[in-house]
């Protein structure tokens, strides 16, 4: 019998994160959002709560949980605010996970305890200004010279890259040519503050305004040869596997935003009166909210299924793409409906749904666009 109920430990985690999001994040995140400011203290508190170490073994300072535990936490964070949810998601999936999955024992011992505690944040530099979905079109280069990698190039749209907590960025770079003539792409750790490594100003974004997103540049940046992550020439393949996992996490984040839209709409529809009664008594409003709940609940099942297959060790690429595609579009739909339920107030930044609306669109773009997800699903079915 299928049973999607959370076990006692995961339910306790969910309630703890829910309480933290409501009591710590909700009262103050709107001000950070409007100031376009990264809330360092809130991020430190999320570290103290153990959120950055959820899926990692205790030997590295982690909680010894699963990737599903991370997804449950992300959903609860995004129910209140997506900026903080993506900070955790990127810190874990893109900052720490490549080192955990592919790093040497020395790299793991050096970096993971700090990343798991939230004392440090890591970032992953894949996307380039002219790359976008064509991640294989990497132009950043790294050549070996006297036992060091010498890196030149630039990266774009990198999350967690320039905060005062950021201590490393793992970058993909062309390190040679494959036997078939294609690019040999490898992953290399670049510690923050390395000479020649420049972090640009924060982007002015439509949404996720309390998260940190920057452009990076590398000019003859020298790091030790042992900073290579995984096998030389396997950097691109390694990152694709990280993305498969990350899509489940982004799906969970999307579900959180979609559910947050339901929460706020139910609350508002019960309080706002028009024509002598709460607007929720009007069937048009009630049906809109019911449809929002249907979408959020269905999207949750999609990411639960993808996470289940991942934890079983079964192929899950198709399920991850389905979950990411569907839940991100659900988040966008629910944000639009929630704004409509709120009427003119939904267009005011003081209301959470305005923030949800601004945050939702990137979910259809980041970590693989909706078009890329459809392509991957079709390809897995043998028709793409």
């Amino acid at each position: 019998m299928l049973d999607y109920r959370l076990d006692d430990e995961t339910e306790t985690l969910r309630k703890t994160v829910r309480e933290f999001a409501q009591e710590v994040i909700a009262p103050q995140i709107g001000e950070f959002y409007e100031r376009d400011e990264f809330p360092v203290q809130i991020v430190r508190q999320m570290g103290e709560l153990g959120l950055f170490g959820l899926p990692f073994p205790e030997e590295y300072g982690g909680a010894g949980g699963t990737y599903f535990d991370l997804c449950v936490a992300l959903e609860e964070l995004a129910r209140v605010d997506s900026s903080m949810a993506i900070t955790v998601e990127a810190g874990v999936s893109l900052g720490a996970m490549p080192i955990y999955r592919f790093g040497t024992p020395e790299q793991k011992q050096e970096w993971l305890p700090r990343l798991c505690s939230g004392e440090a944040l890591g970032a992953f530099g894949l996307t380039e200004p002219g790359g976008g979905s064509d991640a294989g079109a990497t132009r950043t280069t790294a050549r070996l010279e006297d036992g060091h990698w010498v890196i030149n190039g630039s990266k774009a749209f990198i999350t967690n890259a320039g905060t005062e907590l950021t201590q490393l960025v793992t970058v993909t770079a062309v390190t040679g040519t494959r036997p078939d003539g294609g690019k040999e792409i490898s992953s290399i750790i670049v510690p923050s503050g390395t000479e020649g490594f420049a972090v640009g100003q924060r982007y002015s974004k439509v949404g996720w305004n309390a998260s940190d997103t920057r452009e990076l540049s590398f000019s003859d940046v020298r790091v030790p040869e042992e900073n290579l992550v995984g096998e030389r020439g396997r950097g691109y393949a390694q990152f694709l596997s990280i993305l498969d996992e990350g899509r489940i996490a982004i799906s969970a984040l999307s579900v959180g935003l979609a559910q947050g839209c339901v929460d706020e709409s139910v609350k508002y529809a019960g309080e706002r009166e028009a024509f002598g009664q709460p607007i929720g008594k009007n069937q048009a409003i009630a049906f809109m909210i019911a449809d929002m709940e249907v979408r959020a609940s269905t999207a949750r099942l999609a990411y639960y299924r993808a996470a289940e297959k991942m934890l079983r060790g079964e192929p899950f690429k198709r399920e991850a793409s389905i979950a990411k595609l569907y839940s991100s579009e659900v988040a966008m739909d629910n944000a639009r409906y929630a704004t409509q339920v709120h009427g003119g107030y939904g267009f005011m930044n003081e209301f959470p749904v305005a923030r949800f609306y601004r945050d939702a669109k990137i979910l259809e773009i980041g970590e693989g666009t909706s078009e890329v997800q459809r392509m991957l699903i079709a390809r897995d079915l043998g028709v793409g």
Side-chain angles (χ1 to χ4, degrees):
M1 179 182 296
L2 290 175
D3 186 356
Y4 283 101
R5 291 174 297 180
L6 302 180
D7 60 36
D8 291 343
E9 189 172 341
T10 307
E11 177 61 19
T12 298
L13 168 67
R14 188 196 67 78
K15 289 180 178 178
T16 300
V17 178
R18 176 67 172 161
E19 181 179 327
F20 176 84
Q22 290 179 315
E23 297 182 2
V24 177
I25 298 177
Q28 54 184 323
I29 196 62
E31 296 180 8
F32 285 101
Y33 197 94
E34 292 309 312
R35 293 198 304 264
D36 197 35
E37 181 180 341
F38 183 76
V40 175
Q41 189 54 40
I42 294 179
V43 176
R44 291 189 190 278
Q45 288 177 273
M46 292 194 296
E48 293 167 2
L49 198 61
L51 301 187
F52 290 97
L54 279 173
F56 300 109
E58 294 179 4
E59 66 179 294
Y60 299 120
T66 67
Y67 205 86
F68 180 67
D69 293 328
L70 170 66
C71 291
V72 169
L74 290 173
E75 180 183 341
E76 291 302 329
L77 289 174
R79 239 174 122 171
V80 169
D81 177 67
S82 291
S83 290
M84 292 300 89
I86 195 58
T87 297
V88 173
E89 193 278 336
V92 175
S93 294
L94 303 179
M97 196 59 74
I99 294 174
Y100 174 64
R101 295 285 189 216
F102 308 111
T104 65
E106 293 75 18
Q107 289 170 343
K108 293 176 184 178
Q109 290 295 338
E110 178 180 2
W111 294 110
L112 287 181
R114 280 179 280 171
L115 296 172
C116 288
S117 69
E119 172 191 343
L121 286 178
F124 199 101
L126 173 77
T127 304
E128 299 193 355
S133 294
D134 188 7
T138 301
R139 299 179 65 181
T140 297
T141 62
R143 70 179 189 277
L144 269 179
E145 184 179 281
D146 299 327
H148 287 74
W149 293 105
V150 181
I151 305 171
N152 286 280
S154 61
K155 299 293 179 178
F157 312 129
I158 309 304
T159 303
N160 292 344
T163 77
E164 65 181 71
L165 301 176
T166 305
Q167 293 190 11
L168 76 136
V169 177
T170 303
V171 301
T172 53
V174 178
T175 53
T177 303
R178 300 198 312 257
D180 63 2
K183 295 178 179 178
E184 175 192 89
I185 298 176
S186 305
S187 298
I188 302 168
I189 295 173
V190 179
S192 299
T194 302
E195 186 176 356
F197 173 27
V199 179
Q201 295 297 311
R202 284 165 57 98
Y203 287 107
S204 176
K205 298 174 294 188
V206 171
W208 285 359
N209 286 354
S211 72
D212 183 80
T213 315
R214 315 244 183 174
E215 186 169 346
L216 310 177
S217 65
F218 306 86
S219 180
D220 289 332
V221 173
R222 299 177 66 89
V223 297
E225 183 177 356
E226 54 267 26
N227 280 25
L228 179 72
V229 179
E231 298 178 38
R232 177 170 177 169
R234 294 283 299 167
Y236 183 57
Q238 290 168 187
F239 183 75
L240 291 181
S241 69
I242 292 294
L243 266 188
D244 287 338
E245 298 177 358
R247 285 173 182 138
I248 304 176
I250 292 295
S251 175
L253 193 157
S254 301
V255 170
L257 188 151
Q259 191 65 56
C261 289
V262 176
D263 298 340
E264 294 297 324
S265 296
V266 168
K267 177 183 175 183
Y268 186 80
E271 296 174 349
R272 174 77 164 96
E273 292 194 0
F275 305 104
Q277 64 178 358
I279 63 171
K281 296 293 185 180
N282 297 304
Q283 195 174 69
I285 299 297
F287 279 12
M288 287 174 68
I289 297 174
D291 286 343
M292 291 162 62
E293 176 66 14
V294 169
R295 287 192 289 265
S297 295
T298 307
R300 182 177 297 109
L301 292 176
Y303 95 71
Y304 274 28
R305 173 59 174 158
E308 178 189 39
K309 293 202 73 174
M310 174 186 168
L311 294 180
R312 288 179 184 274
E314 300 173 1
F316 64 93
K317 182 187 292 286
R318 183 197 306 178
E319 286 75 14
S321 287
I322 290 171
K324 201 275 183 183
L325 170 64
Y326 183 70
S327 60
S328 62
E329 295 189 345
V330 159
M332 192 68 213
D333 288 342
N334 275 18
R336 186 172 62 253
Y337 272 52
T339 302
Q340 195 71 20
V341 168
H342 281 69
Y345 288 109
F347 202 61
M348 301 296 111
N349 286 327
E350 64 189 273
F351 282 78
V353 293
R355 193 169 67 246
F356 293 164
Y357 190 85
R358 293 162 67 180
D359 289 340
K361 183 57 191 174
I362 187 59
L363 298 171
E364 297 180 312
I365 299 171
E367 296 205 29
T369 65
S370 293
E371 291 74 24
V372 166
Q373 303 315 315
R374 288 183 167 90
M375 178 186 72
L376 293 173
I377 295 165
R379 184 181 296 167
D380 196 66
L381 291 171
V383 296

